[in-house]
Amino acid sequence: MDFDFPLRKIIHVDMDAFYASVEQHDNPELKGKPIAVGGGSKRGVVSAASYEARKFGVRSAMAGAIARRNCPELIFVRPRFDRYKEISKQIRGIFFEYTDLVEPLSLDEAYLDVTENKKGNPSATLIAQEIRNKIFDKTGLTASAGISINKFIAKVASDYNKPNGQKTVNPEEVIEFLENLDIRKFYGVGKVTAEKMYRLGIFTGFDLKQKSVDFLEKHFGKSGSYYYNVVRGIHLSSVKPHRIPKSVGAERTFFENLSSEIFMLEKLENIASELEKRLQKSKIAGKTITLKIKYSDFTLQTRSKTLPYFIASKDLILETAKELLYQSSLENSVRLLGISLANLNTEKKKESEKKESVLVQLKFDF
């Protein structure tokens, strides 16, 4: 099939159970055992789980108590973020041996554009294999990779042969790959959206493709056009070496649940102070303040307000957060509060930057 847009050679590299794998590598006694990085106490939360733990249904963001109930033999390990950052830096050094077009998504995953690369290698598949081998040789850790014509397909493909594997979706395979794809595997389709799609008779990419853009926008808002395009292999987002955040936030989980707004005001002030520091460090401001409330039963609620001007100061952030807190009564006792700022002053970019791309022939080595 011919595409009416530039094709790229994109690799998505995703480390396998990164935090947990680092702990197992550094402490051989943990190898082959179910471990969770995070807190196993009543208030603890799992940050990451080893593949051995995942077999018992242990997942990241799960309450430590629930994780321990699912897997009584689970071993909890305190996170060592300095160590994770150290290894992540080594891995990114390997990426830069091949291209400067590296977009980190977190400490353990990144997009690479190798359409034109420092090695002069025309095969993105071989580059991905080389990178994975180098990561293992240097760190002792395994990585998985997805390779295709854009970021969306590369990310979906990287999950196919995990752990320690890779998958390439060549240009001529893209449409069939997407049509056969379970809708739950579409990046950006969460559990709630998937259930809504099921009710609309959408179970695969093929089903999604039968729906008009008007139908999808009616049922999914702005995301409708995104779904309409990606199922056709259209995702024009370029790899951004200096990724601009869409929001900046700070949050706190409390040792004891808070049952009154009065007790939360001091906590909000501390969170607003931390957010102010992060904004100052990044030299950015925003207009939309969102208050995040996680209740003791783990249900999540957000309340937002958009101001007519940019703010970055603690006092203005706190003032709006308080207003949002008192907007309606609490549904339960609270275990976590967070404040984030979006609609940032970094979002105005030159149109030329958004459309920057290099046209590549359809028939090229993957």
Side-chain angles (χ1 to χ4, degrees):
M1 174 180 176
D2 290 333
F3 292 94
D4 296 328
F5 51 86
L7 299 182
R8 312 293 298 172
K9 298 181 185 181
I10 307 297
I11 302 173
H12 177 253
V13 179
D14 191 10
M15 300 301 296
D16 299 322
F18 184 52
Y19 294 175
S21 295
V22 170
E23 299 303 335
Q24 289 178 319
H25 174 269
D26 288 358
N27 183 356
E29 292 183 4
L30 296 176
K31 284 189 175 179
K33 297 180 180 179
I35 75 164
V37 176
S41 65
K42 179 182 176 183
R43 310 295 298 170
V45 176
V46 174
S47 294
S50 67
Y51 283 100
E52 295 85 357
R54 294 182 188 187
K55 293 177 182 177
F56 294 89
V58 179
R59 296 286 184 269
S60 61
M62 177 179 284
I66 296 175
R68 195 181 292 280
R69 188 163 64 240
N70 288 354
C71 181
E73 304 300 317
L74 189 63
I75 301 169
F76 280 89
V77 181
R78 291 179 65 85
R80 299 180 297 151
F81 290 106
D82 287 343
R83 176 63 171 151
Y84 309 147
K85 289 176 183 176
E86 175 190 354
I87 296 177
S88 179
K89 188 175 180 181
Q90 294 175 14
I91 294 167
R92 288 182 191 175
I94 295 172
F95 296 159
F96 286 120
E97 292 178 20
Y98 292 84
T99 178
D100 290 328
L101 295 178
V102 177
E103 180 182 337
L105 300 178
S106 60
L107 291 177
D108 61 344
E109 64 175 318
Y111 291 115
L112 289 74
D113 187 332
V114 296
T115 311
E116 297 174 8
N117 59 83
K118 297 176 182 179
K119 304 290 186 180
N121 189 338
S123 173
T125 300
L126 293 179
I127 289 176
Q129 185 66 61
E130 279 185 26
I131 287 173
R132 291 175 51 242
N133 290 342
K134 284 188 177 183
I135 289 173
F136 183 78
D137 291 342
K138 189 159 190 173
T139 69
L141 304 174
T142 63
S144 297
I147 306 98
S148 196
I149 64 171
N150 62 42
K151 288 161 61 175
F152 172 81
I153 304 171
K155 185 166 178 66
V156 172
S158 68
D159 204 40
Y160 251 68
N161 293 316
K162 267 186 166 292
N164 196 26
Q166 66 181 60
K167 179 174 179 61
T168 299
V169 182
N170 292 296
E172 63 274 15
E173 300 168 336
V174 164
I175 299 303
E176 183 179 2
F177 174 80
L178 292 171
E179 288 183 350
N180 292 331
L181 196 64
D182 187 315
I183 203 66
R184 293 172 300 178
K185 292 188 178 296
F186 273 70
Y187 180 56
V189 175
K191 183 179 178 181
V192 174
T193 302
E195 290 174 353
K196 184 174 182 179
M197 287 191 172
Y198 290 164
R199 292 195 294 271
L200 294 171
I202 302 171
F203 299 92
T204 66
F206 179 82
D207 299 329
L208 179 62
K209 201 172 180 181
Q210 307 313 304
K211 306 299 182 182
S212 68
V213 67
D214 291 339
F215 176 90
L216 293 174
E217 287 181 343
K218 175 184 176 182
H219 291 281
F220 301 101
K222 292 180 180 178
S223 297
S225 58
Y226 165 78
Y227 300 140
Y228 181 86
N229 285 319
V230 293
V231 76
R232 289 165 172 77
I234 303 170
H235 187 240
L236 303 181
S237 175
S238 61
V239 171
K240 303 175 183 68
H242 305 291
R243 198 161 180 247
I244 300 172
K246 292 186 177 180
S247 66
V248 179
E251 60 184 42
R252 292 287 181 274
T253 299
F254 310 120
F255 186 73
E256 296 288 344
N257 293 336
L258 304 179
S259 56
S260 170
E261 289 91 339
I262 295 174
F263 298 129
M264 298 176 196
L265 296 180
E266 181 185 350
K267 309 297 184 183
L268 281 178
E269 186 170 356
N270 293 335
I271 296 169
S273 294
E274 177 61 29
L275 179 53
E276 181 186 51
K277 290 177 185 176
R278 295 181 183 182
L279 292 167
Q280 289 175 345
K281 183 178 180 180
S282 302
K283 298 180 180 178
I284 55 180
K287 291 183 176 181
T288 301
I289 300 93
T290 298
L291 177 67
K292 176 181 177 181
I293 303 171
K294 182 178 283 188
Y295 293 105
S296 53
D297 61 358
F298 284 87
T299 56
L300 189 66
Q301 185 182 73
T302 57
R303 305 171 183 178
S304 299
K305 179 178 182 178
T306 298
L307 303 174
Y309 46 82
F310 290 104
I311 66 169
S313 71
K314 167 192 164 183
D315 292 342
L316 289 174
I317 292 169
L318 183 59
E319 179 185 331
T320 308
K322 287 180 180 179
E323 181 184 333
L324 293 170
L325 179 65
Y326 287 105
Q327 191 176 75
S328 58
S329 58
L330 298 173
E331 298 175 3
N332 206 331
S333 58
V334 173
R335 64 175 279 120
L336 176 149
L337 285 173
I339 307 173
S340 64
L341 200 59
N343 199 359
L344 305 177
N345 57 357
T346 56
E347 293 180 5
K348 292 183 178 180
K349 298 184 68 180
K350 294 180 181 178
E351 197 65 29
S352 58
E353 289 178 348
K354 291 183 180 180
K355 295 182 178 179
E356 184 181 350
S357 58
V358 179
L359 186 61
V360 182
Q361 294 299 317
L362 173 62
K363 296 295 182 182
F364 58 176
D365 295 328
F366 256 85

